[in-house]
Amino acid sequence: TDRKKLHTASVGQVFRLRPFHVLVATGGGYAGYRKYEDYKSEQLEKRGIEVPVKLASEWEVALYKSVPTRLLSRAWGRLNQVELPTWLRKPVYSLYIWTFGVNMKEAAVEDLHHYRNLSEFFRRKLKPQARPVCCLHSVISPSDGKILNFGQVKNCEVEQVKGVTYSLESFLGPRICTEELHFSEAPPGNSFQQQLVTKEGNELYHCVIYLAPGDYHCFHSPTDWRVSHRRHFPGSLMSVNPGVARWIKELFCHNERVVLTGDWKHGFFSLTAVGATNVGSIRIYFDQDLHTNSPRYSKGSYNDFSFISNNNKEGIPMRKGEHLGEFNLGSTIVLIFEAPKDFKFHLKAGQKIRFGEALGSL
């Protein structure tokens, strides 16, 4: 009579799965499978074997986008800001350094105990002499990273990697007011690409730089130019590593990004910071109103901010090599700019590059 009664639930009740859980599990599992496929492709490339382009279907893209990467990235951001006990800092950071090949000899502070949390470690500064800025070329690399693609923009399409393109207009959004950029009015019949080119005889060029998790996470001004406008696109936060960029067409148009637009001595110039998984936070040092990966913004929209005002007619002047912004982990920088036809890139696709090194010149 003193025995306790055990109440049991049916198997169906115990293992009842909600649609959200199924979605996360399926999407996460498929993302892991894609990571494995990317790894195999990278190994083939290292052996000199060309990997054929295989684009994702619409349902595959939809499945990947169903993974709550924005929510996960916000959670990762909060985790990064948790202060670690002093005794735990060196083991945690040492594991990260070993995994991603971080060169701490270049860091302004090499002592791992100095960094209170992962966020501070990711955003570590470099020694002043670690990245000399090239003065002989007109455009330098704004960050450390890997060159995914570069060249002329053709037919309003830009290559994110070889053989995979995205729409120039979808990426930058509608053309900005000409008065704001001090550009001449283009004929309405011209294509979007032609409307961006302001001087006769010029061409539109692009360069895509991928920042890996182990790279220096700050980015700088690639040339002397004037920033007039910022356009923020809330969006997905899918991975932007080269394998995924080769798989998903218009990946950069799906993801959250911040487009800085202005002009340099040869005309139109833009720098776009593209977000990625766990890189929901994109910071622009002179733009305190920018808040990325925020629940207040919905996907599919964009919001504009002008740096031209009654008190500031020139926008934000940037000098070549000047600090511009930072990512929380690693992502992609896309440069799209106007230049004369004799502009030459000094690059090879797939090469590693460091901030301050030459991208190209006239």
Side-chain angles (χ1 to χ4, degrees), residues 30 34 53-62 64 244 246-249:
Y30 190 77
R34 287 306 314 172
V53 175
K54 183 182 178 182
L55 295 178
S57 61
E58 290 186 8
W59 73 265
E60 288 177 311
V61 176
Y64 191 2
V244 177
R246 192 183 297 110
W247 179 55
I248 298 181
K249 183 178 175 62

Side-chain angles (χ1 to χ4, degrees), residues 204-220:
L204 207 60
Y205 297 85
H206 74 99
C207 183
V208 183
I209 305 170
Y210 166 68
L211 289 75
D215 287 327
Y216 168 56
H217 296 345
C218 297
F219 51 93
H220 302 245

Side-chain angles (χ1 to χ4, degrees), residues 50-268:
E50 187 173 350
V51 181
V53 175
K54 183 182 178 182
L55 295 178
S57 61
E58 290 186 8
W59 73 265
E60 288 177 311
V61 176
L63 180 61
Y64 191 2
K65 291 175 72 173
S66 69
V67 179
T69 51
R70 289 169 61 87
L71 179 61
L72 292 173
S73 296
R74 283 196 289 270
W76 175 255
R78 292 187 179 182
L79 179 63
N80 286 349
Q81 294 172 4
V82 174
E83 185 170 343
L84 297 176
T86 305
W87 62 270
L88 188 59
R89 295 174 188 177
K90 189 172 182 178
V92 171
Y93 301 147
S94 295
L95 177 62
Y96 186 90
I97 291 168
W98 177 79
T99 303
F100 296 108
V102 178
N103 183 4
M104 284 302 293
K105 292 183 179 179
E106 298 177 333
V109 180
E110 296 184 40
D111 182 13
L112 298 181
H113 296 100
H114 168 80
Y115 303 100
R116 295 174 298 177
N117 51 48
L118 284 167
S119 181
E120 286 189 2
F121 179 73
F122 293 148
R123 296 181 288 108
R124 64 193 176 277
K125 305 300 180 183
L126 299 182
K127 295 173 181 175
Q129 67 274 19
R131 296 290 187 275
V133 175
C134 177
C135 299
L136 301 178
H137 297 82
S138 53
V139 183
I140 63 169
S141 176
S143 66
D144 289 6
K146 179 181 180 180
I147 301 295
L148 294 189
N149 216 303
F150 62 92
Q152 284 190 16
V153 177
K154 298 179 180 179
N155 303 320
C156 294
E157 293 280 326
V158 185
E159 281 194 315
Q160 59 191 28
V161 293
K162 185 178 179 181
V164 182
T165 63
Y166 56 92
S167 163
L168 180 64
E169 187 170 5
S170 297
F171 182 69
L172 295 178
R175 188 164 178 258
I176 300 161
C177 176
T178 53
E179 289 112 7
E180 184 174 319
L181 295 180
H182 296 181
F183 291 168
S184 58
E185 186 67 44
N190 286 8
S191 68
F192 184 81
Q193 178 178 336
Q194 292 171 327
Q195 291 177 23
L196 295 180
V197 177
T198 64
K199 298 179 181 179
E200 188 175 352
N202 281 3
E203 297 287 348
L204 207 60
Y205 297 85
H206 74 99
C207 183
V208 183
I209 305 170
Y210 166 68
L211 289 75
D215 287 327
Y216 168 56
H217 296 345
C218 297
F219 51 93
H220 302 245
S221 176
T223 191
D224 296 336
W225 64 307
R226 182 177 62 93
V227 184
S228 304
H229 186 271
R230 179 259 291 161
R231 176 168 286 162
H232 170 216
F233 289 86
S236 301
L237 289 172
M238 295 183 283
S239 171
V240 293
N241 75 57
V244 177
R246 192 183 297 110
W247 179 55
I248 298 181
K249 183 178 175 62
E250 298 204 336
L251 171 65
F252 298 157
C253 298
H254 289 296
N255 270 16
E256 182 154 13
R257 60 197 181 279
V258 176
V259 182
L260 299 179
T261 309
D263 60 285
W264 69 319
K265 60 183 178 181
H266 299 297
F268 174 81

Side-chain angles (χ1 to χ4, degrees), residues 230 232 258 282-284 287-292 297 303:
R230 179 259 291 161
H232 170 216
V258 176
I282 302 171
R283 183 182 174 194
I284 304 297
D287 188 355
Q288 302 302 316
D289 295 322
L290 175 65
H291 300 285
T292 56
Y297 301 122
N303 53 83

